[in-house]
Coordinates of all heavy atoms in Angstrom, one line a residue:
M23 N -21.7 -22.1 -27.9 CA -21.6 -20.6 -27.4 C -22.8 -20.5 -26.5 O -22.6 -19.9 -25.4 CB -21.6 -19.6 -28.6 CG -21.3 -18.2 -28.1 SD -19.8 -18.0 -27.3 CE -20.1 -16.5 -26.4
F24 N -24.0 -20.8 -26.9 CA -25.1 -20.7 -26.0 C -25.0 -21.5 -24.7 O -25.4 -21.0 -23.6 CB -26.4 -21.1 -26.8 CG -27.6 -21.0 -26.0 CD1 -28.2 -19.8 -25.8 CD2 -28.3 -22.1 -25.5 CE1 -29.3 -19.6 -25.0 CE2 -29.4 -22.0 -24.8 CZ -30.0 -20.7 -24.5
R25 N -24.4 -22.6 -24.9 CA -24.2 -23.5 -23.7 C -23.3 -22.8 -22.7 O -23.5 -22.9 -21.5 CB -23.5 -24.8 -24.3 CG -23.5 -25.9 -23.3 CD -23.1 -27.2 -24.1 NE -24.1 -28.0 -24.4 CZ -24.3 -29.3 -23.8 NH1 -23.3 -29.7 -23.0 NH2 -25.3 -30.0 -24.2
F26 N -22.3 -22.1 -23.1 CA -21.4 -21.4 -22.3 C -22.1 -20.3 -21.5 O -21.9 -20.2 -20.3 CB -20.2 -20.7 -23.1 CG -19.4 -19.8 -22.3 CD1 -18.5 -20.4 -21.4 CD2 -19.4 -18.5 -22.5 CE1 -17.6 -19.5 -20.7 CE2 -18.6 -17.6 -21.8 CZ -17.7 -18.2 -20.8
I27 N -23.0 -19.6 -22.2 CA -23.8 -18.6 -21.5 C -24.7 -19.2 -20.4 O -24.8 -18.7 -19.3 CB -24.6 -17.7 -22.5 CG1 -23.6 -16.9 -23.4 CG2 -25.5 -16.8 -21.8 CD1 -24.4 -16.4 -24.6
L28 N -25.3 -20.3 -20.8 CA -26.1 -21.1 -19.8 C -25.4 -21.5 -18.6 O -25.9 -21.2 -17.4 CB -26.7 -22.3 -20.5 CG -28.0 -22.8 -20.0 CD1 -29.2 -21.8 -20.3 CD2 -28.3 -24.1 -20.5
Y29 N -24.2 -22.0 -18.8 CA -23.4 -22.5 -17.7 C -23.0 -21.3 -16.8 O -23.0 -21.4 -15.5 CB -22.1 -23.2 -18.1 CG -22.4 -24.7 -18.5 CD1 -22.2 -25.3 -19.7 CD2 -23.0 -25.5 -17.4 CE1 -22.5 -26.6 -19.9 CE2 -23.3 -26.8 -17.7 CZ -23.0 -27.4 -18.9 OH -23.3 -28.7 -19.1
T30 N -22.6 -20.2 -17.4 CA -22.2 -19.0 -16.6 C -23.4 -18.5 -15.8 O -23.2 -18.2 -14.6 CB -21.7 -17.9 -17.6 OG1 -20.8 -18.4 -18.5 CG2 -21.1 -16.7 -16.9
L31 N -24.6 -18.4 -16.4 CA -25.7 -18.0 -15.6 C -26.0 -19.0 -14.4 O -26.3 -18.5 -13.3 CB -27.0 -18.0 -16.5 CG -27.2 -16.7 -17.3 CD1 -28.3 -16.9 -18.4 CD2 -27.5 -15.6 -16.4
L32 N -25.9 -20.3 -14.7 CA -26.2 -21.2 -13.7 C -25.1 -21.0 -12.5 O -25.5 -21.1 -11.3 CB -26.0 -22.6 -14.3 CG -26.7 -23.8 -13.5 CD1 -28.2 -23.7 -13.6 CD2 -26.2 -25.1 -14.0
L33 N -23.9 -20.8 -12.9 CA -22.9 -20.6 -11.9 C -23.2 -19.3 -11.0 O -23.0 -19.4 -9.8 CB -21.5 -20.4 -12.7 CG -20.2 -20.5 -11.8 CD1 -20.0 -22.0 -11.4 CD2 -19.0 -20.0 -12.5
I34 N -23.7 -18.3 -11.6 CA -24.0 -17.1 -11.0 C -25.1 -17.3 -9.9 O -25.1 -16.9 -8.8 CB -24.4 -16.0 -11.9 CG1 -23.1 -15.5 -12.7 CG2 -25.0 -14.7 -11.2 CD1 -23.4 -14.6 -13.9
I35 N -26.1 -18.1 -10.4 CA -27.3 -18.4 -9.6 C -26.8 -19.2 -8.4 O -27.2 -18.9 -7.2 CB -28.4 -19.1 -10.4 CG1 -29.0 -18.1 -11.4 CG2 -29.4 -19.7 -9.4 CD1 -29.8 -18.8 -12.4
V36 N -26.0 -20.3 -8.6 CA -25.4 -21.1 -7.5 C -24.6 -20.3 -6.5 O -24.8 -20.4 -5.3 CB -24.6 -22.3 -8.2 CG1 -23.9 -23.0 -7.1 CG2 -25.5 -23.3 -8.8
I37 N -23.8 -19.4 -7.0 CA -23.0 -18.6 -6.1 C -23.8 -17.7 -5.2 O -23.6 -17.6 -4.0 CB -21.9 -17.8 -6.9 CG1 -20.8 -18.7 -7.5 CG2 -21.4 -16.7 -6.1 CD1 -19.9 -18.0 -8.5
S38 N -24.9 -17.1 -5.8 CA -25.7 -16.2 -5.0 C -26.5 -17.0 -4.0 O -26.7 -16.5 -2.9 CB -26.7 -15.4 -6.0 OG -27.5 -16.3 -6.6
I39 N -26.9 -18.2 -4.3 CA -27.6 -19.1 -3.3 C -26.7 -19.4 -2.2 O -27.0 -19.3 -1.0 CB -28.2 -20.3 -4.0 CG1 -29.4 -19.9 -4.9 CG2 -28.6 -21.4 -3.0 CD1 -29.8 -21.1 -5.8
V40 N -25.5 -19.9 -2.5 CA -24.5 -20.2 -1.5 C -24.2 -19.0 -0.6 O -24.1 -19.1 0.6 CB -23.2 -20.7 -2.2 CG1 -22.0 -20.8 -1.2 CG2 -23.4 -22.1 -2.8
K41 N -24.1 -17.9 -1.2 CA -23.8 -16.6 -0.5 C -24.9 -16.3 0.5 O -24.6 -16.0 1.7 CB -23.7 -15.4 -1.4 CG -22.2 -15.0 -1.7 CD -22.2 -13.7 -2.4 CE -20.9 -13.3 -2.8 NZ -21.0 -12.1 -3.7
S42 N -26.1 -16.4 0.1 CA -27.3 -16.2 1.0 C -27.3 -17.2 2.2 O -27.7 -16.9 3.3 CB -28.6 -16.1 0.3 OG -28.9 -17.3 -0.3
V43 N -27.0 -18.5 1.8 CA -27.0 -19.5 2.8 C -26.0 -19.2 3.9 O -26.2 -19.3 5.1 CB -26.8 -20.9 2.2 CG1 -26.5 -21.9 3.3 CG2 -28.1 -21.3 1.4
I44 N -24.7 -18.8 3.4 CA -23.7 -18.5 4.4 C -24.1 -17.3 5.2 O -23.8 -17.3 6.5 CB -22.4 -18.2 3.6 CG1 -21.8 -19.5 3.0 CG2 -21.3 -17.5 4.5 CD1 -20.6 -19.3 2.1
G45 N -24.7 -16.3 4.6 CA -25.2 -15.1 5.4 C -26.1 -15.5 6.5 O -26.0 -15.1 7.6
V46 N -27.1 -16.4 6.2 CA -28.1 -16.9 7.2 C -27.4 -17.6 8.3 O -27.6 -17.3 9.5 CB -29.2 -17.7 6.5 CG1 -30.0 -18.4 7.6 CG2 -30.1 -16.8 5.6
V47 N -26.5 -18.4 7.9 CA -25.7 -19.3 9.0 C -24.9 -18.3 9.8 O -24.9 -18.5 11.1 CB -24.8 -20.3 8.2 CG1 -23.9 -20.9 9.3 CG2 -25.7 -21.4 7.6
M48 N -24.2 -17.4 9.2 CA -23.3 -16.4 10.0 C -24.2 -15.6 11.0 O -23.9 -15.4 12.1 CB -22.6 -15.5 9.1 CG -21.5 -16.2 8.3 SD -20.4 -17.1 9.2 CE -19.0 -16.0 9.4
K49 N -25.4 -15.2 10.5 CA -26.3 -14.4 11.3 C -26.8 -15.2 12.5 O -26.8 -14.6 13.6 CB -27.5 -14.0 10.4 CG -28.2 -12.7 11.0 CD -29.3 -12.3 10.0 CE -30.0 -11.1 10.7 NZ -31.4 -11.5 10.9
S50 N -27.2 -16.4 12.3 CA -27.7 -17.2 13.4 C -26.5 -17.5 14.4 O -26.8 -17.6 15.6 CB -28.2 -18.5 13.0 OG -27.3 -19.3 12.2
F51 N -25.3 -17.6 13.9 CA -24.2 -17.8 14.8 C -23.9 -16.5 15.6 O -23.7 -16.6 16.9 CB -22.9 -18.1 14.0 CG -22.5 -19.5 13.9 CD1 -22.6 -20.2 12.7 CD2 -22.2 -20.2 15.1 CE1 -22.3 -21.6 12.6 CE2 -21.8 -21.5 14.9 CZ -21.9 -22.2 13.8
G52 N -24.2 -15.3 15.0 CA -24.0 -14.1 15.7 C -25.1 -14.0 16.8 O -24.7 -13.5 17.9
D53 N -26.3 -14.4 16.5 CA -27.4 -14.3 17.5 C -27.0 -15.3 18.7 O -27.3 -14.9 19.8 CB -28.6 -14.7 16.9 CG -29.2 -13.6 16.0 OD1 -28.7 -12.5 16.0 OD2 -30.2 -13.9 15.3
F54 N -26.4 -16.5 18.3 CA -26.1 -17.4 19.4 C -25.0 -16.9 20.3 O -25.1 -17.1 21.5 CB -25.7 -18.7 18.7 CG -25.4 -19.8 19.7 CD1 -26.4 -20.5 20.3 CD2 -24.0 -20.2 19.9 CE1 -26.1 -21.5 21.2 CE2 -23.8 -21.2 20.8 CZ -24.8 -21.8 21.5
A55 N -24.1 -16.2 19.8 CA -23.0 -15.6 20.6 C -23.5 -14.7 21.6 O -23.1 -14.7 22.8 CB -21.9 -15.0 19.7
G56 N -24.5 -13.8 21.2 CA -25.2 -13.0 22.2 C -24.3 -12.1 23.0 O -24.0 -12.5 24.1
R57 N -24.0 -10.9 22.6 CA -23.2 -10.0 23.4 C -23.9 -9.7 24.7 O -25.1 -9.4 24.7 CB -22.9 -8.7 22.6 CG -21.9 -8.9 21.5 CD -21.9 -7.8 20.5 NE -23.3 -7.6 20.0 CZ -23.8 -6.4 19.7 NH1 -23.2 -5.3 20.0 NH2 -25.0 -6.3 19.2
P58 N -23.2 -9.6 25.8 CA -23.8 -9.3 27.1 C -24.4 -7.9 27.2 O -25.3 -7.6 27.9 CB -22.7 -9.5 28.1 CG -21.4 -9.4 27.3 CD -21.7 -9.9 25.9
D59 N -23.9 -7.0 26.4 CA -24.3 -5.6 26.4 C -25.4 -5.3 25.4 O -25.9 -4.2 25.3 CB -23.2 -4.6 26.2 CG -22.5 -4.8 24.9 OD1 -22.6 -5.9 24.3 OD2 -21.9 -3.8 24.3
A60 N -25.8 -6.4 24.6 CA -26.9 -6.2 23.7 C -28.2 -6.1 24.3 O -28.5 -6.7 25.4 CB -26.9 -7.4 22.7
P61 N -29.1 -5.2 23.8 CA -30.4 -5.1 24.5 C -31.2 -6.3 24.2 O -31.0 -7.0 23.2 CB -31.0 -3.9 23.7 CG -30.2 -3.8 22.4 CD -28.9 -4.3 22.7
P62 N -32.1 -6.7 25.1 CA -32.9 -7.9 25.0 C -33.9 -7.7 23.8 O -34.6 -6.7 23.7 CB -33.6 -8.1 26.3 CG -33.6 -6.7 26.9 CD -32.4 -5.9 26.3
R63 N -34.0 -8.8 23.0 CA -35.0 -8.7 21.9 C -36.2 -9.4 22.2 O -36.1 -10.6 22.8 CB -34.3 -9.3 20.7 CG -33.5 -8.3 19.8 CD -32.7 -9.0 18.8 NE -31.8 -10.0 19.6 CZ -30.7 -10.4 19.1 NH1 -30.3 -10.0 17.9 NH2 -30.0 -11.2 19.7
A64 N -37.3 -8.9 21.9 CA -38.6 -9.5 22.1 C -38.9 -10.4 20.9 O -39.5 -9.9 19.9 CB -39.7 -8.5 22.4
K65 N -38.4 -11.6 21.0 CA -38.6 -12.5 19.8 C -39.6 -13.6 20.3 O -39.3 -14.5 21.1 CB -37.3 -13.2 19.5 CG -37.2 -13.6 18.1 CD -36.0 -14.6 17.8 CE -34.7 -13.8 17.5 NZ -33.6 -14.8 17.4
G66 N -40.8 -13.5 19.8 CA -41.8 -14.4 20.1 C -42.2 -14.3 21.6 O -42.7 -15.3 22.2
G67 N -42.0 -13.2 22.2 CA -42.4 -12.9 23.6 C -41.5 -13.7 24.6 O -41.8 -13.7 25.8
K68 N -40.4 -14.2 24.1 CA -39.5 -15.0 25.0 C -38.2 -14.3 24.9 O -37.6 -14.2 23.8 CB -39.5 -16.4 24.6 CG -39.2 -17.3 25.7 CD -39.6 -18.8 25.5 CE -38.5 -19.5 24.6 NZ -39.0 -20.9 24.3
S69 N -37.6 -14.0 26.1 CA -36.3 -13.4 26.1 C -35.2 -14.4 26.0 O -35.2 -15.4 26.7 CB -36.1 -12.6 27.4 OG -34.8 -12.1 27.5
S70 N -34.2 -14.2 25.1 CA -33.1 -15.1 24.9 C -31.9 -14.7 25.8 O -31.0 -15.5 25.9 CB -32.8 -15.3 23.4 OG -32.4 -14.0 23.0
A71 N -32.0 -13.5 26.3 CA -30.8 -13.0 27.0 C -31.1 -13.2 28.6 O -31.3 -12.3 29.3 CB -30.6 -11.6 26.7
R72 N -31.1 -14.4 28.9 CA -31.3 -14.8 30.3 C -30.1 -15.2 31.1 O -30.1 -15.4 32.3 CB -32.3 -15.9 30.4 CG -33.7 -15.4 30.3 CD -34.4 -15.1 31.7 NE -35.4 -14.1 31.6 CZ -35.8 -13.4 32.7 NH1 -35.3 -13.6 33.8 NH2 -36.8 -12.5 32.5
I73 N -29.0 -15.4 30.3 CA -27.7 -15.8 30.9 C -27.1 -14.7 31.7 O -27.0 -13.6 31.2 CB -26.8 -16.3 29.8 CG1 -27.5 -17.3 28.9 CG2 -25.5 -16.9 30.4 CD1 -27.0 -17.2 27.5
G74 N -26.7 -14.9 32.9 CA -26.0 -13.9 33.8 C -27.1 -13.1 34.5 O -26.8 -12.0 34.9
G75 N -28.3 -13.6 34.7 CA -29.3 -12.9 35.4 C -30.1 -11.9 34.6 O -29.9 -11.9 33.4
D76 N -30.9 -11.2 35.2 CA -31.8 -10.2 34.6 C -31.0 -9.1 34.0 O -29.9 -8.8 34.5 CB -32.9 -9.7 35.5 CG -33.9 -10.7 35.8 OD1 -34.2 -11.6 35.0 OD2 -34.5 -10.7 36.9
L77 N -31.6 -8.4 33.0 CA -30.9 -7.3 32.4 C -31.5 -6.0 33.0 O -32.7 -5.9 33.2 CB -31.1 -7.3 30.9 CG -30.3 -8.3 30.2 CD1 -30.6 -8.3 28.7 CD2 -28.8 -8.1 30.3
H78 N -30.6 -5.1 33.3 CA -31.0 -3.7 33.8 C -30.4 -2.7 32.9 O -29.3 -2.8 32.4 CB -30.5 -3.6 35.2 CG -31.0 -4.6 36.2 ND1 -32.2 -4.4 36.8 CD2 -30.6 -5.8 36.5 CE1 -32.5 -5.5 37.6 NE2 -31.5 -6.4 37.4
R79 N -31.2 -1.6 32.8 CA -30.7 -0.5 31.9 C -29.8 0.4 32.7 O -30.1 0.9 33.8 CB -32.0 0.2 31.5 CG -31.8 1.0 30.2 CD -33.1 1.8 29.9 NE -32.7 2.8 28.9 CZ -33.0 2.5 27.6 NH1 -33.6 1.4 27.2 NH2 -32.7 3.4 26.6
D80 N -28.7 0.7 32.0 CA -27.7 1.6 32.6 C -28.4 3.1 32.5 O -28.8 3.5 31.5 CB -26.5 1.6 31.6 CG -25.4 2.6 32.1 OD1 -25.7 3.6 32.7 OD2 -24.2 2.2 31.9
P81 N -28.6 3.7 33.7 CA -29.3 5.0 33.7 C -28.6 6.1 33.0 O -29.1 7.1 32.7 CB -29.5 5.3 35.2 CG -28.4 4.6 35.8 CD -28.2 3.3 35.0
V82 N -27.3 5.9 32.7 CA -26.5 7.0 32.1 C -26.5 6.9 30.6 O -26.9 7.8 29.9 CB -25.0 6.9 32.6 CG1 -24.1 8.0 32.0 CG2 -25.0 7.1 34.1
C83 N -26.1 5.7 30.0 CA -26.0 5.6 28.6 C -27.1 4.7 28.0 O -27.2 4.7 26.7 CB -24.6 5.1 28.2 SG -24.3 3.4 28.7
G84 N -27.9 4.1 28.8 CA -29.0 3.3 28.3 C -28.7 1.9 27.8 O -29.5 1.2 27.3
T85 N -27.4 1.5 28.1 CA -27.0 0.1 27.7 C -27.6 -0.9 28.7 O -27.8 -0.6 29.8 CB -25.5 0.0 27.7 OG1 -24.9 1.0 27.0 CG2 -25.0 -1.3 27.3
F86 N -28.0 -2.0 28.2 CA -28.6 -3.1 29.0 C -27.4 -3.9 29.6 O -26.6 -4.4 28.8 CB -29.5 -4.0 28.3 CG -30.9 -3.3 28.1 CD1 -31.1 -2.6 27.0 CD2 -31.8 -3.5 29.0 CE1 -32.3 -2.0 26.8 CE2 -33.1 -2.8 28.9 CZ -33.3 -2.1 27.8
V87 N -27.4 -4.0 30.9 CA -26.3 -4.8 31.6 C -26.9 -5.9 32.4 O -28.0 -5.8 32.9 CB -25.4 -3.9 32.4 CG1 -24.5 -3.0 31.5 CG2 -26.2 -3.0 33.3
A88 N -26.1 -7.0 32.5 CA -26.6 -8.1 33.3 C -26.5 -7.8 34.8 O -25.6 -7.0 35.2 CB -25.7 -9.3 33.0
E89 N -27.3 -8.4 35.6 CA -27.4 -8.2 37.0 C -26.0 -8.6 37.7 O -25.7 -8.2 38.7 CB -28.5 -9.1 37.6 CG -29.0 -8.6 39.0 CD -30.3 -9.2 39.3 OE1 -30.6 -10.3 38.8 OE2 -31.0 -8.5 40.0
S90 N -25.2 -9.5 37.0 CA -24.0 -10.0 37.5 C -22.8 -9.0 37.4 O -21.7 -9.3 37.7 CB -23.6 -11.3 36.9 OG -23.6 -11.2 35.5
T91 N -23.1 -7.8 36.8 CA -22.0 -6.8 36.6 C -21.4 -6.4 37.9 O -22.0 -6.3 38.9 CB -22.6 -5.6 35.8 OG1 -21.5 -4.7 35.5 CG2 -23.6 -4.9 36.5
A92 N -20.1 -6.0 37.8 CA -19.4 -5.5 38.9 C -19.7 -4.1 39.2 O -19.5 -3.5 40.3 CB -17.9 -5.7 38.7
F93 N -20.2 -3.4 38.2 CA -20.5 -2.0 38.2 C -21.9 -1.8 38.6 O -22.9 -1.7 37.8 CB -20.2 -1.2 36.9 CG -18.9 -1.6 36.3 CD1 -18.7 -2.3 35.2 CD2 -17.7 -1.2 37.0 CE1 -17.5 -2.6 34.7 CE2 -16.5 -1.5 36.5 CZ -16.4 -2.2 35.3
Q94 N -22.2 -1.7 39.9 CA -23.5 -1.4 40.5 C -23.4 -0.6 41.7 O -22.4 -0.5 42.3 CB -24.3 -2.7 40.7 CG -23.5 -3.8 41.5 CD -24.3 -5.0 41.6 OE1 -25.1 -5.1 42.6 NE2 -24.2 -6.0 40.7
R95 N -24.6 0.0 42.0 CA -24.5 0.9 43.2 C -25.9 0.9 43.9 O -26.9 1.0 43.1 CB -24.2 2.4 42.7 CG -23.9 3.3 43.9 CD -23.2 4.5 43.4 NE -24.2 5.3 42.6 CZ -24.9 6.4 43.1 NH1 -24.7 6.8 44.4 NH2 -25.7 7.0 42.4
R96 N -26.0 0.7 45.1 CA -27.2 0.7 45.9 C -27.5 2.2 46.3 O -26.7 2.9 46.8 CB -27.1 -0.2 47.1 CG -27.3 -1.6 46.7 CD -27.4 -2.5 48.0 NE -28.8 -2.2 48.6 CZ -29.8 -2.9 48.3 NH1 -29.8 -3.9 47.4 NH2 -31.0 -2.7 48.8
L97 N -28.8 2.5 46.1 CA -29.3 3.9 46.5 C -30.6 3.7 47.2 O -31.6 3.6 46.5 CB -29.4 4.8 45.3 CG -29.5 6.3 45.5 CD1 -28.1 6.8 46.0 CD2 -29.9 7.0 44.3
G98 N -30.5 3.6 48.5 CA -31.7 3.3 49.3 C -32.2 1.9 49.0 O -31.4 0.9 49.1
A99 N -33.4 1.7 48.5 CA -33.9 0.4 48.2 C -33.6 0.0 46.8 O -33.8 -1.1 46.4 CB -35.4 0.3 48.5
Q100 N -33.1 0.9 46.0 CA -32.9 0.7 44.6 C -31.4 0.4 44.3 O -30.5 0.9 44.9 CB -33.3 1.9 43.8 CG -33.9 1.6 42.4 CD -34.4 2.9 41.8 OE1 -34.5 3.9 42.3 NE2 -34.7 2.7 40.4
T101 N -31.2 -0.5 43.3 CA -29.8 -0.8 42.9 C -29.7 -0.5 41.4 O -30.6 -0.8 40.6 CB -29.6 -2.3 43.1 OG1 -29.9 -2.7 44.4 CG2 -28.1 -2.6 42.8
F102 N -28.7 0.3 41.2 CA -28.4 0.7 39.8 C -27.3 -0.1 39.2 O -26.4 -0.5 39.9 CB -28.0 2.2 39.7 CG -29.2 3.1 40.1 CD1 -29.3 3.7 41.3 CD2 -30.2 3.4 39.1 CE1 -30.3 4.5 41.7 CE2 -31.2 4.3 39.5 CZ -31.3 4.8 40.7
Y103 N -27.5 -0.4 37.9 CA -26.4 -1.2 37.2 C -25.8 -0.4 36.1 O -26.6 0.2 35.4 CB -27.1 -2.6 36.7 CG -27.7 -3.4 37.8 CD1 -28.9 -3.1 38.2 CD2 -26.9 -4.3 38.4 CE1 -29.5 -3.9 39.3 CE2 -27.5 -5.1 39.4 CZ -28.7 -4.9 39.9 OH -29.3 -5.6 40.9
Y104 N -24.6 -0.5 35.9 CA -23.9 0.3 34.9 C -23.0 -0.6 34.0 O -22.5 -1.6 34.4 CB -23.0 1.4 35.6 CG -23.7 2.2 36.6 CD1 -23.7 1.8 37.9 CD2 -24.4 3.3 36.3 CE1 -24.3 2.5 38.9 CE2 -25.1 4.0 37.3 CZ -25.1 3.6 38.6 OH -25.7 4.3 39.5
C105 N -22.7 0.0 32.8 CA -21.9 -0.8 31.9 C -20.4 -0.7 32.2 O -19.7 -1.5 31.8 CB -22.2 -0.3 30.4 SG -21.6 1.3 30.1
S106 N -20.1 0.4 32.8 CA -18.6 0.7 33.1 C -18.5 1.5 34.4 O -19.6 2.1 34.9 CB -18.1 1.5 32.0 OG -18.6 2.7 31.8
D107 N -17.3 1.7 34.9 CA -17.1 2.5 36.1 C -17.3 3.9 35.8 O -17.7 4.7 36.6 CB -15.6 2.3 36.5 CG -15.5 2.5 38.0 OD1 -16.4 2.3 38.7 OD2 -14.4 3.0 38.4
A108 N -17.0 4.3 34.5 CA -17.2 5.7 34.1 C -18.7 6.1 34.3 O -19.0 7.2 34.7 CB -16.8 5.9 32.6
C109 N -19.6 5.3 33.8 CA -21.0 5.5 33.9 C -21.4 5.6 35.4 O -22.3 6.4 35.8 CB -21.8 4.5 33.2 SG -22.0 4.8 31.4
R110 N -20.9 4.7 36.2 CA -21.2 4.8 37.6 C -20.8 6.0 38.3 O -21.5 6.7 39.1 CB -20.5 3.5 38.3 CG -20.9 3.4 39.8 CD -20.5 2.1 40.4 NE -19.0 2.0 40.3 CZ -18.4 1.0 40.8 NH1 -19.1 0.0 41.4 NH2 -17.1 0.8 40.8
E111 N -19.6 6.5 37.9 CA -19.1 7.8 38.5 C -20.0 8.9 38.0 O -20.3 9.8 38.8 CB -17.7 8.0 38.0 CG -16.6 6.9 38.3 CD -16.0 7.1 39.6 OE1 -15.1 8.1 39.7 OE2 -16.3 6.5 40.7
K112 N -20.4 8.9 36.7 CA -21.2 10.0 36.2 C -22.6 10.0 37.0 O -23.0 11.1 37.3 CB -21.4 9.8 34.7 CG -20.7 10.7 33.9 CD -21.2 10.5 32.4 CE -20.0 10.4 31.5 NZ -20.4 10.0 30.1
H113 N -23.2 8.9 37.2 CA -24.5 8.8 37.8 C -24.4 9.2 39.3 O -25.3 9.8 39.8 CB -25.0 7.4 37.7 CG -26.5 7.3 38.1 ND1 -27.0 6.5 39.0 CD2 -27.6 7.9 37.5 CE1 -28.3 6.6 39.1 NE2 -28.6 7.5 38.2
A114 N -23.2 8.9 39.9 CA -23.0 9.3 41.3 C -23.0 10.7 41.5 O -23.4 11.2 42.6 CB -21.7 8.7 41.8
L115 N -22.6 11.5 40.5 CA -22.7 13.0 40.6 C -24.1 13.6 40.5 O -24.4 14.6 41.1 CB -21.8 13.6 39.4 CG -20.4 13.2 39.4 CD1 -19.7 13.7 38.1 CD2 -19.6 13.8 40.6
V116 N -25.0 12.8 39.7 CA -26.3 13.3 39.5 C -27.3 12.9 40.7 O -28.0 13.6 41.2 CB -26.9 12.8 38.2 CG1 -28.2 13.5 37.9 CG2 -25.9 13.1 37.1
A117 N -27.2 11.5 40.9 CA -28.1 10.9 41.9 C -27.3 10.6 43.2 O -26.4 9.7 43.1 CB -28.8 9.7 41.3
K118 N -27.7 11.2 44.3 CA -27.0 10.9 45.6 C -27.9 10.4 46.5 O -29.1 10.7 46.6 CB -26.3 12.1 46.0 CG -25.0 12.4 45.2 CD -24.4 13.7 45.6 CE -23.2 14.0 44.8 NZ -22.8 15.4 44.7
Ligands
ZN22 ZN1 -23.0 3.1 30.5

């Protein structure tokens, strides 16, 4: 009877370890996928979101967008980058 309890406890411990390992693996996979609209993280002072050019902040909703986005607008010497056409339209009403 005592042996059964011991095995059950061992099983619970093994399952929790496996679960945490899977969690870590899944998390690192998520980081690797790197959504383009995700804000750049300062991890060790090195930006990992360098794919697709520099990131620019959408002046309307604050989302970080890549320089390669189709939604951009030049205003004088400045270029604005937007996450969507809706944000570009909105900003066009405010800043002319
Ligand atoms: Zn936006």
Side-chain angles (χ1 to χ4, degrees):
M23 188 57 199
F24 181 72
R25 196 169 255 247
F26 172 72
I27 293 166
L28 202 72
Y29 275 126
T30 310
L31 273 172
L32 201 72
L33 197 71
I34 290 166
I35 290 165
V36 166
I37 286 171
S38 61
I39 288 169
V40 166
K41 257 190 186 173
S42 64
V43 166
I44 288 171
V46 167
V47 168
M48 291 306 262
K49 200 172 173 248
S50 60
F51 262 111
D53 286 348
F54 182 72
R57 287 166 300 145
D59 60 336
R63 271 167 304 204
K65 205 195 273 176
K68 209 160 80 179
S69 174
S70 58
R72 277 269 156 197
I73 309 149
D76 287 333
L77 287 178
H78 298 274
R79 204 185 168 95
D80 182 328
V82 180
C83 66
T85 305
F86 283 91
V87 286
E89 200 163 30
S90 56
T91 181
F93 309 114
Q94 48 180 273
R95 195 166 67 96
R96 281 192 70 89
L97 197 71
Q100 214 176 348
T101 308
F102 292 100
Y103 300 87
Y104 310 92
C105 70
S106 64
D107 207 32
C109 276
R110 185 169 59 178
E111 301 271 288
K112 250 187 234 173
H113 194 240
L115 297 172
V116 186
K118 283 175 181 157

